[in-house]
Amino acid sequence: MKALILVGGYGTRLRPLTLSAPKPLVEFCNKPMLLHQVEALAQVGVKEIVLAVSYRAEQLEKELKAQEKKLGIKITMSHEEEPLGTAGPLALAKSILSADSEPFFVLNSDISCEFPFQQMVDFHKSHRQEGTIVVTKVEEPSKYGVVVYDDKGKIERFVEKPSVFVSNKINAGMYIFNPAILDRIELRPTSIEKEIFPVMAKAGQLYAMELSGFWMDVGQPKDFLTGMCMYLSNQKQRFPERLYNGQGVNGNVLVDPTAKIGKNCRIGPNVVIGPDVVIEDGVCIKRSTILKGTTIKSHSWIESSIIGWRCQVGQWVRMENVCVLGEDVIVKDELYINGGRILPHKSIGTSVTEPQIIM
């Protein structure tokens, strides 16, 4: 089987991290976002993955070539000269996707869940129509476009941000299609959700499969942290041995073996610490991700924040309210940072009391 992953965007919602790395390579729970998907696809026997890219393709290519041998799959880049939306990339990769009659996967690159790929294949084969989309339940359907379908999963219609309740299931950004769908898509910027799906549903060719377990679009900092908490609690249930149990740890915490944690620290709940990170004595970290090569000096307090690669956070610093530090940021001692988004290679010498972007 084959899969196409949509990785085309600039990742503007996840800046300043995406100023240093393309979004699919930003580590989510100590593994590049994209790799969570690629590994799960390889596990169900996918042999070729097409990455629909328009931005920073070289960096992606270099990173993923190393995975090809390791996972025994072929990874192909499909370059968009202009952004083609969510359907155009399928037309661009038509020669690969239609090389045989097997169904293929299509995925958005910035989602986190358990990736039920085998279930998707089984469900898709059982209804024998052109397409399957995975749907997930949300608390506030009025914020989304919802999917309405019958008890067999056959989709009747899509309703954009409904003001009265019609459904609480939304498109989860994971699909499986027969190659026949490619005849519906022209090589131009096209939205699969708005232009292709409604036509397929009308023809009775589109089915919905309900996702069990957690799901999150982790494409912006606030949701990245929420998704991290969900992922960690999922790991606790399924692979508790992967979580860290050192001194001063509270709740679900993931720590790379190369990280160093000092004395009298309080780490957790919901913390991810990357490779070569140094946490000095007396530090408190909650609900945060600390990326590779960063040093957090003694007695600092970090909550609900993402600290980028190779940063230096001084002593007695307090950071909270979804701060995001880009790569190589220095925060001097005894500062308070409230919701600051700090661009790469900056040195911060005064407190940031109101949420703002610091250039």
Side-chain angles (χ1 to χ4, degrees), residues 52-80:
V53 289
S54 60
Y55 171 65
R56 292 212 170 149
E58 310 72 34
Q59 220 172 331
L60 272 167
E61 204 156 3
K62 189 174 143 211
E63 189 73 25
L64 287 164
K65 284 295 163 199
Q67 297 300 329
E68 274 192 325
K69 289 187 185 67
K70 204 164 112 184
L71 298 170
I73 53 174
K74 182 178 176 192
I75 295 175
T76 310
M77 299 283 162
S78 176
H79 292 259
E80 300 174 23

Side-chain angles (χ1 to χ4, degrees), residues 297-302 313-319 331-337:
K297 301 227 166 136
S298 55
H299 307 292
S300 281
W301 165 294
I302 294 175
V313 175
Q315 299 178 335
W316 297 98
V317 167
R318 182 173 180 119
M319 295 174 67
V331 178
K332 301 282 178 67
D333 296 348
E334 297 176 27
L335 297 183
Y336 172 56
I337 313 284

Side-chain angles (χ1 to χ4, degrees), residues 6-258:
L6 299 163
V7 292
Y10 288 106
T12 49
R13 297 183 302 159
L14 205 53
R15 283 180 181 162
L17 298 172
T18 47
L19 295 171
S20 300
K23 184 171 60 178
L25 295 184
V26 171
E27 294 92 340
F28 175 77
C29 296
N30 281 352
K31 190 184 286 183
M33 236 181 245
L34 188 63
L35 198 50
H36 288 274
Q37 297 184 335
V38 169
E39 288 180 351
L41 287 166
Q43 269 172 2
V44 296
V46 168
K47 290 291 175 230
E48 182 165 10
I49 295 176
V50 180
L51 298 183
V53 289
S54 60
Y55 171 65
R56 292 212 170 149
E58 310 72 34
Q59 220 172 331
L60 272 167
E61 204 156 3
K62 189 174 143 211
E63 189 73 25
L64 287 164
K65 284 295 163 199
Q67 297 300 329
E68 274 192 325
K69 289 187 185 67
K70 204 164 112 184
L71 298 170
I73 53 174
K74 182 178 176 192
I75 295 175
T76 310
M77 299 283 162
S78 176
H79 292 259
E80 300 174 23
E81 296 298 320
E82 57 164 343
L84 291 170
T86 47
L90 278 74
L92 190 63
K94 184 173 181 174
S95 61
I96 299 170
L97 300 175
S98 63
D100 54 40
S101 58
E102 280 292 303
F104 57 85
F105 293 100
V106 175
L107 312 177
N108 289 345
S109 66
D110 46 9
I111 50 176
S112 177
C113 65
E114 279 183 27
F115 300 121
F117 295 139
Q118 190 54 53
Q119 258 175 287
M120 286 171 72
V121 172
D122 298 342
F123 178 78
H124 184 73
K125 287 188 171 159
S126 75
H127 67 68
R128 304 165 82 163
Q129 300 305 324
E130 212 170 285
T132 297
I133 74 177
V134 176
V135 295
T136 185
K137 188 172 161 183
V138 287
E139 296 302 321
E140 290 184 60
S142 60
K143 286 162 69 175
Y144 303 92
V146 298
V147 186
V148 182
Y149 50 92
D150 68 15
D151 55 358
K152 298 263 192 325
K154 187 175 172 182
I155 294 175
E156 291 162 1
R157 64 190 198 280
F158 298 88
V159 184
E160 194 54 45
K161 297 184 178 166
S163 51
V164 294
F165 184 88
V166 286
S167 162
N168 60 358
K169 304 293 195 303
I170 65 163
N171 177 349
M174 293 185 283
Y175 320 121
I176 184 164
F177 301 126
N178 294 343
I181 191 179
L182 299 166
D183 298 333
R184 299 178 182 273
I185 303 168
E186 292 171 29
L187 184 51
R188 60 176 176 81
T190 313
S191 161
I192 200 163
E193 300 85 355
K194 295 195 171 93
E195 296 174 64
I196 308 299
F197 287 168
V199 178
M200 289 173 72
K202 212 169 172 182
Q205 290 289 322
L206 197 57
Y207 276 66
M209 182 189 110
E210 291 178 18
L211 181 69
S212 54
F214 80 104
W215 177 90
M216 197 70 205
D217 170 343
V218 294
Q220 55 188 334
K222 178 171 69 68
D223 297 339
F224 183 100
L225 291 170
T226 303
M228 172 198 76
C229 299
M230 291 174 167
Y231 178 89
L232 291 174
S233 96
N234 180 264
Q235 292 290 297
K236 172 78 174 171
Q237 288 163 11
R238 295 173 66 207
F239 310 105
E241 69 283 357
R242 292 180 185 173
L243 297 179
Y244 182 75
N245 285 317
Q247 221 180 346
V249 161
N250 166 29
N252 300 331
V253 173
L254 189 62
V255 177
D256 186 273
T258 60

